[in-house]
């Protein structure tokens, strides 16, 4: 575990076993691109993995697996701008080794991530057999103000000796996607057409292109050294190297600064990426100036995005906020990019966009609404692809892909590797149609929080109605049940993708899928009713529905089937007929059974036979909807859902879930907190620590879990404080949790910025900055309504939980 202070995460020793974890957690980014926190001396191997990734930059390659051609689109690993090699020179002696964190002369290592300033500092001390000591300190930033720039300042100090140091500043384009072991059999060479060189004024440059998507990339690095010295240069097709030999002694340290600029053909307005990168790097300010402006940009961002909670929990939440903010910053709003499930921190999940925005956008809508809007526009721009996917499937409306990348077509792999058995297996997770409901839910939540009628009547209405159109068409009438059914899908629990021994994949009437589909249909009807007449007529034509179709939507929204068994909500139709798993036996044999699917497949079995879930599925309903909302939803469907039934359902699935996803403990903790369950904090704590402690045994080194990080922020604001933004006011319904005794944060709501909310045991304080806007309406527990005028601060007593 790292050593933490209020604003720093520090690692006081170098451990090869955890280095990739440190690299992921120490990644720096600005919402446009990010660089892993690898040591500049390192190259990609089994311990280290330097990597830089650009939001929205994908490429498709075809590999041969088991005699089959397999096509995959990946987020592309870009050239390494950080690389720096050095070694000590002694008079009359041959050059020493290049020094790295793995060199036997390393005596001390310290890594410090400064969350307030957005910088990473690595300090190392080498001590050789001749008594010479060399201190090396790297300070790195990826500029939050200028999204094209990054910089690295390296400080060398000699202790007890003097001589020379040879330094190579490398711009390395000979990189492949090789950061995930289970993808090693796939082709990872995404960059082609390399050219490299060094300008007359000393700026090294590299240009290349992604092989099939044809994204042109220009990367330039200006390297300056103090004291001044002559520079040697050597270039290959894929690398540009500048060499410095500098005198060094204790009173005369050496400083080397690399200032990098990244430009691509994805930029707007269109530019020549190479020329643009060279100009940006050449004319960039010096390191102190860059650091000062970078810190100022982070200070502004923290003003909008910080969540303050006391104690160790608050430190973890600040780290989570840091990674969310630098993955999805205000710069992201200008890009054609979604919410990558593993951030811009590594190559797991191939950089794809899943449903993780469901856990991230509630926080962003309240803190960075423009960024949330930009991410929803990523989905809207892919609406034509979703409409085409539905058409090809013989369906109506829009079918959004489970895994999305550059174009909006389905990027879910057809095969996936079980590392435990070594077998490539069919992947049916593309049947998770509930991703469309997640998009619709985020559209609605964004509209409630912002009052952005332009978006809601424009792109938002199109997204919501097209998703609703799909659900209305996907629901088929079952005369024997007197209900509509949705068949052949996969729910959030990916371990059940078929019935036992079934010839075709998919299960029927997943409760989460059906209930959220009913909710989407109801909200689509509500939104349609609020639209101006001309817009309604336009949408009817574009969506391909008639006025009579809306009454059919209403019928489906009220009569979708929800299965039950043993007086609990069934995860899906037939779930209660599956066999019970010997949980104690499997835990005794395997200890860690999070990836139960891999264990069972390696034994020649399948989780499809058992009441055993990967992650919270039915209980996800308790994450999206408050108890009263959920009761109303079920009542609208003609079912009675009281507190006792819900508690039985929660308890039932708690004992049948192995938490193979980091999102599972988050949802379980959320639901138990709302129920005041005794185990609530255990699950909340696991969600908080899932990446920091790498609970899944090595996966965080491949990229953080952005949904889980964003979800823990939402857990405090929407879960514990009970903050829900609706058009009629900010609703507050807190759930006291002793481990989180208080919190404070600033939000945006209906045009107001920087509304400060302070939550204390039994008290709530709200301050609204001065503005020309009207008062902020507030709905307290029990339906009590209050208003806080602009420029006013008020405190309210809350009922004890």
């Amino acid at each position: 575990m790292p050593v933490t202070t209020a604003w720093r995460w520090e690692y006081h020793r170098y451990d090869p076993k955890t280095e990739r974890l440190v690299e992921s957690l120490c990644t720096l980014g600005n919402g446009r691109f990010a660089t892993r926190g690898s040591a500049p001396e390192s190259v990609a191997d089994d311990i280290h993995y330097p990597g830089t990734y650009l939001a929205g930059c994908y490429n498709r390659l075809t590999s041969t697996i088991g005699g089959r051609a397999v096509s995959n689109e990946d987020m592309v690993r870009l050239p390494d701008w950080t690389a720096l090699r050095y070694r000590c020179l002694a008079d009359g002696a041959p050059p020493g080794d290049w020094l790295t964190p793995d060199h036997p002369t390393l005596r001390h290592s310290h890594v410090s991530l400064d969350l307030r300033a957005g910088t990473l500092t690595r300090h190392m001390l080498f001590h050789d057999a001749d008594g010479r000591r060399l201190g090396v300190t790297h300070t790195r930033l990826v500029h939050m103000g200028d999204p094209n720039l990054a910089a690295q300042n390296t400080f060398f100090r000699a202790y007890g000796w003097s001589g020379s140091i040879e330094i190579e500043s490398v711009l390395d384009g000979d990189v492949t996607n090789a950061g995930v072991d289970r993808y090693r059999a796939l082709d990872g060479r995404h960059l082609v057409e390399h050219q490299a060189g060094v300008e007359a004024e000393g700026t090294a440059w590299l240009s290349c292109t992604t092989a099939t998507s044809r994204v042109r990339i220009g990367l330039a690095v200006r390297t300056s050294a103090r004291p001044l010295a002559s520079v040697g240069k050597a270039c290959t097709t894929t690398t540009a190297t500048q060499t410095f030999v500098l005198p060094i002694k204790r009173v005369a340290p050496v400083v080397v600064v690399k200032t990098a600029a990244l430009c691509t053909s994805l930029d707007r307005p269109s530019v020549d990426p190479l020329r643009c990168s060279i100009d940006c790097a050449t004319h960039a300010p010096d390191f102190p100036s860059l650091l000062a402006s970078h810190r100022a940009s982070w200070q502004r961002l923290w003003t909008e995005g910080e969540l303050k909670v006391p104690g160790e929990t608050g430190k973890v939440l600040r780290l989570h906020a840091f990674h969310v903010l630098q993955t999805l910053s205000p710069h992201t709003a200008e890009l054609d990019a979604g919410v990558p499930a593993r951030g811009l921190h590594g190559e797991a999940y191939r950089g794809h966009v899943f449903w993780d925005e469901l856990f991230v956008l509630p926080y962003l809508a309240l803190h960075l609404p423009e960024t949330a809007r930009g991410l929803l526009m990523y989905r809207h721009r892919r609406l034509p692809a979703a409409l085409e996917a539905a058409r090809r499937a013989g369906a109506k409306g829009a079918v959004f892909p489970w895994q999305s990348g550059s174009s909006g077509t389905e990027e879910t792999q057809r095969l996936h590797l079980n590392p435990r058995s070594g077998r490539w297996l069919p992947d049916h997770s593309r049947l998770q149609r509930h991703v469309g409901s997640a998009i619709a839910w985020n559209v609605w939540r964004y509209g409630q929080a912002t009052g952005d009628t332009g978006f809601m009547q424009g792109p938002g209405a199109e997204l919501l109605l097209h998703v609703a159109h799909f659900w209305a068409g996907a629901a088929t009438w079952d005369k024997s049940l007197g209900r509509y059914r949705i068949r052949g899908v996969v729910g959030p629990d990916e371990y059940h993708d078929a019935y036992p021994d079934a010839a075709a994949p998919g299960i029927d009437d997943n409760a989460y899928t059906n209930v959220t589909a009913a909710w989407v249909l109801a909200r689509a009807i509500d939104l349609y009713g609020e639209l101006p007449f001309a817009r309604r007529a336009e949408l009817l034509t574009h969506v391909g529905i008639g006025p009579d179709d809306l009454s059919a939507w209403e019928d489906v929204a009220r009569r979708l089937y929800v299965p039950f068994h043993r007086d609990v909500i069934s995860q899906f139709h037939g779930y209660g007929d599956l066999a019970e798993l010997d949980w104690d036996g499997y835990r005794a044999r395997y200890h860690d059974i999070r990836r139960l699917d891999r264990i069972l497949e390696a034994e020649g079995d399948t989780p499809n036979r058992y009441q055993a879930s990967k992650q919270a599925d039915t209980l996800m309903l308790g994450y999206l909807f408050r108890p009263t909302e959920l009761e109303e939803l079920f009542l609208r469907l003609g079912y009675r859902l009281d507190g006792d039934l819900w508690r039985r359902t929660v308890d039932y699935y708690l004992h049948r879930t192995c938490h193979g996803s980091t999102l599972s403990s988050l949802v379980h903790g959320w639901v138990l907190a709302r129920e005041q369950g005794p185990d609530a904090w255990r699950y909340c704590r696991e969600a908080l620590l899932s990446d920091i402690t790498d609970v899944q045994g090595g996966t965080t080194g491949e990229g953080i879990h952005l949904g889980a990080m964003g979800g823990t922020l939402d857990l405090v604001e929407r879960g514990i404080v009970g903050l829900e933004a609706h058009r009629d006011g900010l609703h507050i319904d807190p759930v006291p949790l002793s481990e989180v005794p208080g919190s404070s944060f600033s939000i945006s709501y209906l045009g107001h910025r920087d509304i400060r909310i302070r939550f204390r045991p039994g008290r709530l304080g709200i301050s609204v900055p001065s503005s020309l806007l009207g008062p902020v309406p507030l709905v307290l527990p029990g339906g009590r309504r209050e208003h806080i005028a602009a420029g006013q601060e008020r405190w309210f007593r809350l009922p004890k939980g």
Side-chain angles (χ1 to χ4, degrees):
M1 286 286 289
V3 175
T4 62
T5 61
W7 286 95
R8 288 183 184 272
W9 282 73
E10 299 182 314
Y11 298 86
H12 287 285
R13 59 184 294 265
Y14 170 69
D15 184 352
K17 295 178 181 178
T18 60
E19 182 63 7
R20 287 214 179 180
L21 171 66
V22 173
E23 290 178 352
S24 282
L25 292 177
C26 291
T27 295
L28 299 179
N30 59 18
R32 177 174 175 266
F33 75 98
T35 295
R36 284 170 59 85
S38 55
E41 303 86 351
S42 64
V43 296
D45 55 23
D46 292 338
I47 297 172
H48 309 278
Y49 197 70
T52 292
Y53 305 95
L54 175 71
C57 183
Y58 294 94
N59 186 66
R60 185 180 304 281
L61 293 176
T62 300
S63 308
T64 302
I65 302 295
R68 295 177 57 181
V70 177
S71 175
N72 286 295
E73 186 180 67
D74 292 75
M75 183 171 68
V76 178
R77 180 184 174 210
L78 300 185
D80 181 16
W81 65 271
T82 69
L84 194 75
R85 299 195 299 174
Y86 48 87
R87 56 187 174 184
C88 299
L89 303 179
D91 293 339
D97 297 331
W98 297 109
L99 298 177
T100 71
D102 305 288
H103 197 273
T105 61
L106 180 70
R107 294 293 179 266
H108 174 69
S109 175
H110 178 220
V111 177
S112 178
L113 178 65
D114 185 333
L115 305 179
R116 188 194 300 274
T119 58
L120 175 66
T121 301
R122 275 183 177 264
H123 176 70
M124 292 177 289
L125 180 65
F126 298 93
H127 192 173
D128 66 17
D130 296 323
R132 293 180 299 185
R133 291 181 296 159
L134 179 68
V136 183
T137 301
H138 306 287
T139 301
R140 181 184 300 168
L141 62 86
V142 175
H143 205 279
M144 188 55 79
D146 187 328
N148 293 321
L149 294 179
Q152 179 175 278
N153 182 93
T154 302
F155 186 91
F156 299 91
R157 184 181 290 277
Y159 297 94
W161 66 284
S162 61
S164 299
I165 183 169
E166 181 181 3
I167 299 169
E168 288 188 351
S169 174
V170 184
L171 178 53
D172 184 9
D174 189 15
V175 298
T176 62
N177 278 43
V180 180
D181 285 344
R182 59 190 176 279
Y183 302 162
R184 291 286 175 87
L186 304 173
D187 188 357
R189 190 163 289 279
H190 292 281
L191 299 178
V192 296
E193 300 173 10
H194 293 77
Q195 288 185 305
V198 178
E199 295 289 279
E201 64 271 21
T203 299
W205 56 266
L206 175 70
S207 68
C208 52
T209 305
T210 56
T212 56
S213 58
R214 309 305 295 170
V215 177
R216 292 177 292 122
I217 297 160
L219 189 57
V221 173
R222 183 189 75 204
T223 304
S224 59
R226 194 176 73 241
L228 298 176
S230 59
V231 183
K233 58 184 180 181
C235 298
T236 68
T237 303
T238 58
T239 63
T241 302
Q242 295 171 281
T243 303
F244 305 78
V245 177
L246 304 167
I248 187 171
K249 53 186 176 181
R250 182 177 177 84
V251 295
V254 168
V255 180
V256 175
V257 178
K258 299 186 72 172
T259 305
L262 171 64
C263 300
T264 79
S265 58
L266 297 176
D267 296 339
R268 295 179 296 180
S270 180
V271 297
D272 174 0
L274 179 56
R275 190 70 256 163
C276 176
S277 66
I278 292 173
D279 289 344
C280 287
T282 301
H283 301 296
D286 60 17
F287 189 82
S289 299
L290 283 173
L291 182 59
S293 57
H294 173 67
R295 284 174 168 166
S297 294
W298 261 110
Q299 183 177 4
R300 175 186 60 83
L301 197 54
W302 278 122
T303 299
E304 298 176 337
E306 186 181 4
L307 167 62
K308 293 181 180 179
V309 171
E312 291 301 315
T313 297
K315 296 176 185 178
V316 176
L317 288 167
R318 184 169 283 138
L319 177 73
H320 287 185
F322 175 77
H323 283 297
V324 171
L325 292 172
Q326 67 173 356
T327 305
L328 305 169
S329 81
H331 297 303
T332 315
E334 303 299 319
L335 307 176
D336 183 30
V339 179
R342 304 301 285 274
L344 300 174
H345 298 59
E347 295 160 16
Y349 300 167
R350 300 183 174 87
H352 290 168
V353 175
F354 292 70
W355 70 325
D356 297 72
E357 62 211 68
L358 187 67
F359 302 89
V360 178
L361 258 66
Y363 164 81
L364 290 176
L366 289 171
H367 293 271
L368 302 175
E370 292 82 9
T371 301
R373 191 185 202 275
L375 295 168
L376 290 171
M377 289 304 298
Y378 167 87
R379 292 297 192 178
H380 184 259
R381 283 188 287 271
R382 282 149 186 79
L383 184 55
L387 295 171
E388 175 62 16
R391 188 193 66 78
R392 290 188 177 185
K396 299 176 181 179
V399 174
F400 282 93
W402 176 237
Q403 296 187 34
S404 180
S406 62
S407 67
T409 58
E410 180 62 77
E411 297 300 342
T412 303
Q413 63 275 8
R414 294 285 181 178
L415 298 173
H416 70 269
L417 174 68
N418 180 0
R420 188 177 287 270
S421 69
R423 288 189 284 266
W424 287 86
L425 308 164
D427 190 317
H428 302 303
S429 58
R430 66 185 59 234
L431 295 176
Q432 295 191 71
R433 304 304 190 199
H434 61 83
V435 66
S437 295
I439 294 168
W441 189 83
N442 275 323
V443 166
W444 186 262
R445 301 287 313 179
Y446 169 80
Q448 295 288 298
T450 64
D452 185 349
T453 55
F455 176 82
M456 292 303 294
Q457 294 183 8
E462 292 170 11
L463 285 166
L464 194 55
L465 266 67
H466 278 298
V467 172
H469 198 198
F470 167 72
W471 285 131
T476 58
W477 179 253
D478 187 318
K479 185 176 180 181
S480 63
L481 286 175
R483 291 274 180 178
Y484 291 96
R485 307 184 67 182
I486 297 176
R487 301 176 182 268
V489 299
V490 172
D493 164 36
E494 298 171 311
Y495 284 179
H496 292 94
D497 62 0
Y499 287 100
D501 304 317
I507 49 93
D508 300 334
D509 302 306
N510 174 257
Y512 173 80
T513 300
N514 284 17
V515 173
T516 55
W519 180 89
V520 170
L521 285 162
R523 297 293 77 74
I525 294 169
D526 290 345
L527 180 58
Y528 177 82
E530 297 173 359
L531 296 175
F533 176 80
R535 181 58 172 153
R536 283 194 228 171
E538 180 185 32
L539 279 174
L540 288 178
T541 302
H542 288 182
V543 179
I545 58 176
D548 293 341
D549 290 327
L550 294 177
S551 61
W553 288 17
E554 178 73 28
D555 191 49
V556 174
R558 291 183 178 277
R559 299 170 72 180
L560 268 168
Y561 172 54
V562 179
F564 292 80
H565 74 279
R566 302 184 201 173
D567 209 17
V568 301
I569 304 169
S570 295
Q571 183 170 303
F572 53 83
H573 179 72
Y575 185 86
D577 299 329
L578 301 178
E580 291 282 11
L581 184 78
D582 179 10
W583 291 93
D584 292 338
Y586 273 90
R587 287 193 177 97
R589 285 156 57 192
Y590 293 99
H591 183 60
D592 185 352
I593 61 169
R594 293 175 187 274
R595 292 312 305 262
L596 183 65
D597 59 331
R598 293 175 176 175
I599 292 172
L600 290 171
E601 192 279 328
E603 292 182 346
D605 206 345
T606 171
N608 285 329
R609 295 181 53 232
Y610 302 99
Q611 295 183 45
S613 300
K614 174 184 180 182
Q615 60 184 300
D617 188 305
T618 305
L619 303 193
M620 271 295 301
L621 294 171
Y623 174 80
L624 294 186
F625 307 110
R626 293 195 171 282
T628 54
E629 291 177 293
L630 201 53
E631 289 176 18
E632 291 170 2
L633 254 177
F634 271 72
L635 185 63
R636 197 171 191 273
L637 286 165
Y639 298 102
R640 182 172 178 270
L641 176 65
D642 59 20
D644 290 338
L645 173 57
W646 179 247
R647 280 187 288 272
R648 286 193 301 273
T649 300
V650 171
D651 184 67
Y652 188 85
Y653 291 106
L654 279 175
H655 293 91
R656 291 167 176 81
T657 305
C658 65
H659 306 293
S661 165
T662 55
L663 296 171
S664 188
S665 56
L666 168 69
V667 174
H668 278 84
W670 179 293
V671 170
L672 286 172
R674 298 300 308 176
E675 295 295 318
Q676 296 286 277
D679 290 331
W681 181 245
R682 176 166 71 89
Y683 289 102
C684 293
R685 186 174 185 274
E686 183 172 302
L688 285 165
L689 300 181
S690 58
D691 269 334
I692 298 163
T693 59
D694 201 7
V695 296
Q696 293 192 334
T699 64
T700 303
E702 302 167 348
I704 61 163
H705 297 82
L706 194 65
M709 286 189 170
T712 60
L713 305 173
D714 193 30
L715 170 65
V716 174
E717 296 180 355
R718 203 167 58 87
I720 296 173
V721 177
L723 173 66
E724 296 278 1
H726 294 280
R727 284 185 301 178
D728 68 336
L730 290 173
H731 290 235
I732 304 288
D733 184 17
V735 178
L737 198 62
S738 60
E739 292 84 357
V740 186
S743 60
S744 64
F745 47 92
S746 295
I747 66 168
S748 298
Y749 173 65
L750 298 183
H752 289 273
R753 310 293 289 213
D754 197 26
I755 298 172
R756 192 72 184 173
I757 296 178
R758 297 174 178 86
F759 175 66
R760 303 289 183 268
R763 295 192 305 148
L764 176 76
I766 299 184
S767 60
V768 179
S770 299
S771 75
L772 298 178
L773 298 173
V776 172
L778 186 66
V779 182
L780 296 171
R784 174 186 168 193
R785 293 185 174 272
E786 299 284 351
H787 289 81
I788 302 96
Q792 185 180 30
E793 178 178 1
R794 294 185 63 187
W795 283 84
F796 304 93
R797 291 196 176 277
L798 300 172
K800 295 183 178 180

